[in-house]
């Protein structure tokens, strides 16, 4: 989702201001959920201005066709190749936000400044391409730790030259910044002819494809993750409930988990290769949904609080800890993984066979290959979890 998901590249604050974006009234008119509108307006203007000092930079992307984000794929292809990965849903939100910002903020601002902007030139299609450009090549200055809970993310910025390095999880360089300068520094010896790789952050393959248009082949992405939708765990709990009273109990338990802000209708439990990244949420959810009526009544009376040692013991969900879950929790998690695997359009073995068949793999389109890497990594993590809790 554009307002929430952003590039992990880092850089200093830009020092350039544009006269048509100055003034408190203009700034107020450009307020948006994403915080990207001022930069996107500047890019719209500079990209189409023949005398822009940034033309040498923009010339590296003649028409943005090299940006092959899933948002540019036909909807049918996106659904067929990426069903179950979470990307189609993220793209739908992106496109809705792009249309909303363009129609409610960009267009009125352009009409108020006809000497600078022309809606026939600065179109929705160009705006969408520039959103993808910002997604893939922008930097954002990280917030100080004390500001993380109080402020939204800093707005994105473009930093020419700093954005030329590709990303891999096993990178050999990273960005160091200060208010005065920006440095790309190697983190290990780099031999002659060896490519220098930056890191865009700890990005799962679905995030890389969604935001940057590529994914890392298995097993390269050690930061890869798979999601179990929170509502899928509720569905699994309801399916195993024996009778209306038990189903009612599950509904009450779910409502209480919502009150505790452990779950939500659109949330997901995130699984890594070695541990559950949303460990507290999943641990508490499994425990509550596996409680008897009496246990749940007592838990509610304590407002979800419990003995500190017990809470600490249950909050860490490494792979080893998952294998030691109580039997009811294991069964609920196992059923939830099976339901999650059903959401994909193909199974793990078919994709394993495709990856092992070099001739067949090379016949795939680039989009098919990238989507395969996303699906395969996620399914490997889910199947690993199945083995741990079986």
């Amino acid at each position: 989702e554009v307002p929430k998901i952003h590039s992990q590249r880092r850089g200093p604050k830009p020092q350039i201001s544009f006269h048509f974006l100055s003034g408190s009234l203009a700034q107020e008119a450009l307020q948006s959920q994403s915080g990207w509108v001022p930069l996107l307006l500047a890019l719209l203007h500079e990209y189409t201005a023949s005398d822009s000092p940034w033309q040498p930079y923009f010339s590296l992307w003649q028409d943005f066709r090299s940006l092959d984000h899933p948002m540019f794929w036909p909807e049918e292809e996106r659904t067929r190749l990426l069903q179950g990965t979470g990307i189609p849903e993220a793209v739908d939100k992106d496109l809705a936000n792009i249309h909303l910002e363009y129609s409610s903020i960009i267009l009125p601002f352009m009409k108020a400044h006809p000497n600078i902007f022309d809606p026939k030139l600065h179109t929705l299609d160009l705006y969408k391409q520039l959103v993808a450009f910002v997604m893939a090549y922008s930097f954002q200055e990280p917030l100080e730790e004390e500001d993380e809970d109080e402020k939204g993310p800093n707005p994105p910025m473009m930093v020419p030259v700093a954005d030329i390095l590709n990303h891999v999880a096993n990178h050999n360089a990273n960005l160091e910044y200060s208010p005065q300068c920006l440095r790309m520094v190697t983190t290990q010896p780099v031999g002659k002819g060896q490519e220098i790789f930056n890191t865009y952050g700890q990005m799962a393959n679905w995030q890389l494809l969604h935001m940057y248009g590529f994914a890392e082949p298995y097993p390269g992405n050690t930061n890869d993750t798979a999601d179990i939708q929170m509502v899928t765990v509720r569905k699994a709990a309801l399916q195993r409930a024996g009778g209306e009273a038990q189903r009612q109990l599950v509904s009450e338990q779910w409502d209480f988990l919502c009150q505790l802000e452990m779950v939500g209708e659109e949330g997901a439990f995130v699984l890594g290769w070695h541990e559950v990244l949303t460990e507290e949420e999943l641990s508490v959810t499994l425990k509550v949904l596996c409680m008897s009526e009496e246990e749940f009544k007592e838990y509610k009376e304590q407002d979800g609080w419990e003995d500190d040692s017990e809470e600490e013991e249950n909050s860490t969900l490494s792979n080893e800890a998952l294998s030691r879950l109580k039997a009811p929790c294991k069964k609920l998690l196992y059923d939830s993984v099976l339901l999650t695997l059903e959401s994909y359009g193909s199974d793990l073995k078919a994709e394993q066979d495709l990856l092992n068949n070099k001739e067949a793999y090379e016949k795939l389109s680039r989009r098919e290959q990238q989507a395969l890497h996303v699906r395969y990594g996620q399914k490997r993590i889910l199947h690993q979890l199945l083995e741990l809790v079986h």
Side-chain angles (χ1 to χ4, degrees):
E1 184 178 353
V2 171
K4 295 180 181 177
I5 300 177
H6 49 82
S7 169
Q8 299 298 308
R9 296 174 173 184
R10 303 301 188 209
K13 292 180 179 178
Q15 301 300 312
I16 299 168
S17 60
F18 297 85
H19 65 279
F20 57 84
L21 300 183
S22 62
S24 60
L25 285 176
Q27 290 176 10
E28 188 175 325
L30 299 179
Q31 290 296 317
S32 70
Q33 189 180 7
S34 71
W36 291 22
V37 167
L39 174 61
L40 288 164
L41 265 172
L43 287 170
L44 278 172
H45 173 71
E46 297 293 335
Y47 183 71
T48 54
S50 58
D51 59 347
S52 170
W54 298 102
Q55 278 306 318
Y57 175 56
F58 293 128
S59 69
L60 298 173
W61 296 273
Q62 293 294 337
D63 54 11
F64 292 122
R65 285 183 188 169
S66 60
L67 298 175
D68 195 29
H69 294 56
M71 72 162 67
F72 299 119
W73 302 7
E75 185 175 1
E76 177 278 327
E77 185 177 23
R78 191 163 60 234
T79 301
R80 174 170 50 85
L81 296 179
L82 298 170
Q83 177 184 328
T85 65
I87 295 177
E89 294 80 4
V91 169
D92 288 343
K93 290 180 181 179
D94 287 347
L95 294 176
N97 286 324
I98 289 168
H99 281 259
L100 178 63
E101 286 193 347
Y102 185 82
S103 61
S104 63
I105 302 175
I106 299 292
L107 267 180
F109 192 87
M110 289 198 295
K111 289 176 180 177
H113 299 84
N115 58 320
I116 298 170
F117 294 106
D118 178 3
K120 292 180 180 177
L121 177 64
H122 304 110
T123 62
L124 175 61
D125 281 345
L126 178 57
Y127 187 74
K128 187 163 74 169
Q129 290 173 341
L130 289 170
V131 168
F133 181 51
V134 171
M135 268 184 162
Y137 290 96
S138 68
F139 292 75
Q140 281 177 289
E141 183 178 358
L143 293 167
E144 299 294 334
E145 281 189 27
E146 59 269 21
D147 295 332
E148 285 183 358
D149 294 331
E150 298 177 12
K151 298 180 180 179
N154 282 315
M157 65 205 75
M158 311 309 293
V159 186
V161 183
D163 58 13
I164 62 174
L165 297 185
N166 290 321
H167 160 100
V168 292
N170 184 26
H171 55 96
N172 53 18
N174 60 22
L175 201 64
E176 294 181 359
Y177 71 96
S178 72
Q180 287 77 36
C181 68
L182 184 69
R183 296 191 305 160
M184 193 69 72
V185 182
T186 56
T187 57
Q188 54 186 275
V190 179
K192 182 178 180 180
Q194 184 182 350
E195 183 170 357
I196 300 175
F197 286 100
N198 184 22
T199 173
Y200 304 163
Q202 294 183 328
M203 309 285 282
N205 265 348
W206 80 266
Q207 293 171 306
L208 289 173
L209 184 57
H210 170 222
M211 294 186 59
Y212 303 99
F214 73 93
E216 284 195 71
Y218 175 84
N221 192 354
T222 52
N223 298 314
D224 209 2
T225 62
D227 289 356
I228 297 176
Q229 296 302 311
M230 291 175 172
V231 292
T232 300
V233 180
R234 178 181 64 184
K235 182 180 178 181
L238 287 169
Q239 283 183 355
R240 70 173 188 169
E244 186 55 38
Q246 191 65 30
R247 292 176 64 85
Q248 181 61 34
L249 175 60
V250 169
S251 296
E252 290 175 10
Q253 290 167 335
W254 178 264
D255 290 342
F256 188 67
L257 287 166
C258 289
Q259 290 174 29
L260 295 178
E261 297 186 347
M262 289 293 164
V263 297
E265 294 295 317
E266 295 188 5
F269 301 114
V270 184
L271 317 169
W273 284 111
H274 306 292
E275 62 186 357
V276 177
L277 303 183
T278 50
E279 54 188 12
E280 182 185 6
E281 291 84 353
L282 182 57
S283 178
V284 173
T285 298
L286 291 174
K287 182 176 62 180
V288 170
L289 290 176
C290 291
M291 285 178 177
S292 66
E293 189 172 355
E294 284 302 313
E295 289 170 334
F296 179 57
K297 183 180 178 182
E298 183 181 343
Y299 188 73
K300 272 207 306 184
E301 288 171 353
Q302 297 173 349
D303 288 330
W305 291 96
E306 57 191 347
D307 181 74
D308 287 344
S309 61
E310 183 184 350
E311 188 172 349
E312 185 176 340
E313 180 185 337
N314 289 338
S315 66
T316 303
L317 283 182
S318 63
N319 285 353
E320 183 188 1
L322 285 167
S323 66
R324 291 188 280 105
L325 286 173
K326 294 177 181 178
C329 293
K330 276 188 176 182
K331 181 67 167 68
L332 178 55
L333 189 51
Y334 186 87
D335 292 344
S336 301
V337 174
L338 290 181
L339 287 173
T340 300
L341 287 167
E342 288 177 6
S343 68
Y344 294 91
S346 58
D347 63 25
L348 182 68
K349 185 180 184 307
E351 306 200 322
Q352 178 77 70
D353 292 344
L354 194 52
L355 284 168
N356 288 339
N357 187 332
K358 185 178 179 183
E359 185 179 348
Y361 175 79
E362 290 178 348
K363 288 180 179 177
L364 298 176
S365 69
R366 183 187 178 279
R367 290 176 179 178
E368 288 171 331
Q369 291 176 352
Q370 301 303 313
L372 175 60
H373 295 314
V374 174
R375 296 193 310 265
Y376 184 69
Q378 290 183 351
K379 290 176 190 175
R380 284 290 300 240
I381 292 172
L382 290 167
H383 276 269
Q384 175 181 269
L385 181 54
L386 282 181
E387 292 177 11
L388 288 167
V389 299
H390 191 264

